Amino acid sequence: AQSVTQLDSHVSVSEGTPVLLRCNYSSSYSPSLFWYVQHPNKGLQLLLKYTSAATLVKGINGFEAEFKKSETSFHLTKPSAHMSDAAEYFCVVDSGSARQLTFGSGTQLTVLP
Amino acid sequence: NAGVTQTPKFRILKIGQSMTLQCAQDMNHNYMYWYRQDPGMGLKLIYYSVGAGITDKGEVPNGYNVSRSTTEDFPLRLELAAPSQTSVYFCASVIGTGGFYGYTFGSGTRLTVV
């Protein structure tokens, strides 16, 4: 079975500093991995996805993530945080058989002025 | 092309009442899903369908039923609502074939059971 562990439930950064949101996954095969963002009382927006092409994936709004098979990690980064980045972020793995998604428990990102 | 449409957006139910959450997609996606999101948590899979007439249970199916009579529609039925079903419900769909695909999520239904 596939699973996702988001290592931090809350991350606080100052505006203009780098963002690192950590995600480890467990999968019995080469998975597809995603990062979604959810702003308060909003739906889910896809930031980026890894589907076995390039291991460094660039997404929207300056976010990127690197797939590291040896470390089973898919950490999300951004060089410079903006106030509008404050939201809940979910690391998600494609469970495969019927493309069900398994979600991590989420990381709440706070951006301090 | 409306994507995934969920109705209603908000609903308050009394304990023991029943209701149907509607989900419709116009992208000819064959795979559809229902998830629930409890406060401060990630989404958990309730039911899914890989095509018309085919449904299967996810991680948290108890208290729910689904049907898939057409490719477009995937309603979720709550029978005998309980406070534990207070949650935000998301419907999603994906093409289901090919190596490059993307999920489309609805905007959610916020359900409160009192």
Side-chain angles (χ1 to χ4, degrees), chain A residues 1-101:
Chain A
Q2 282 60 245
S3 67
V4 171
T5 302
Q6 292 185 242
L7 300 170
D8 307 291
S9 58
H10 292 87
V11 170
S12 290
V13 301
S14 296
E15 189 175 21
T17 64
V19 175
L20 170 64
L21 306 183
R22 299 182 296 165
C23 171
N24 287 351
Y25 70 92
S26 172
S27 176
S28 55
Y29 56 88
S30 184
S32 293
L33 291 157
F34 308 80
W35 276 98
Y36 281 86
V37 61
Q38 186 178 36
H39 288 90
N41 299 314
K42 298 291 186 183
L44 293 154
Q45 181 182 20
L46 178 66
L47 280 178
L48 49 80
K49 60 186 173 185
Y50 166 77
T51 56
S52 74
T55 55
L56 182 62
V57 182
K58 294 188 183 298
I60 62 171
N61 300 335
F63 285 95
E64 63 181 38
E66 186 171 8
F67 174 75
K68 291 187 176 180
K69 186 175 181 179
S70 61
E71 299 176 10
T72 60
S73 68
F74 190 57
H75 300 336
L76 181 71
T77 61
K78 183 173 181 178
S80 176
H82 191 272
M83 296 298 289
S84 60
D85 295 328
E88 186 91 21
Y89 291 79
F90 293 100
C91 184
V92 184
V93 65
D94 172 357
S95 296
S97 62
R99 294 187 161 168
Q100 306 100 308
L101 298 178

Side-chain angles (χ1 to χ4, degrees), chain B residues 37-111:
Chain B
Q37 183 180 27
D38 297 328
M41 304 292 289
L43 279 66
K44 294 189 182 298
L45 183 64
I46 306 171
Y47 270 95
Y48 65 96
S49 168
V50 299
I54 306 170
T55 63
D56 208 345
K57 296 177 180 179
E59 184 181 356
V60 290
N62 291 344
Y64 306 95
N65 276 301
V66 293
S67 60
R68 185 95 182 270
S69 57
T70 66
T71 299
E72 294 77 21
D73 299 299
F74 190 42
L76 178 71
R77 178 80 176 164
L78 278 72
E79 304 283 359
L80 299 175
S84 61
Q85 293 177 304
T86 294
S87 190
V88 181
Y89 292 82
F90 289 98
C91 180
S93 71
V94 71
I95 188 67
T97 57
F100 185 80
Y101 57 94
Y103 295 84
T104 302
F105 282 85
S107 57
T109 295
R110 188 175 295 273
L111 175 67

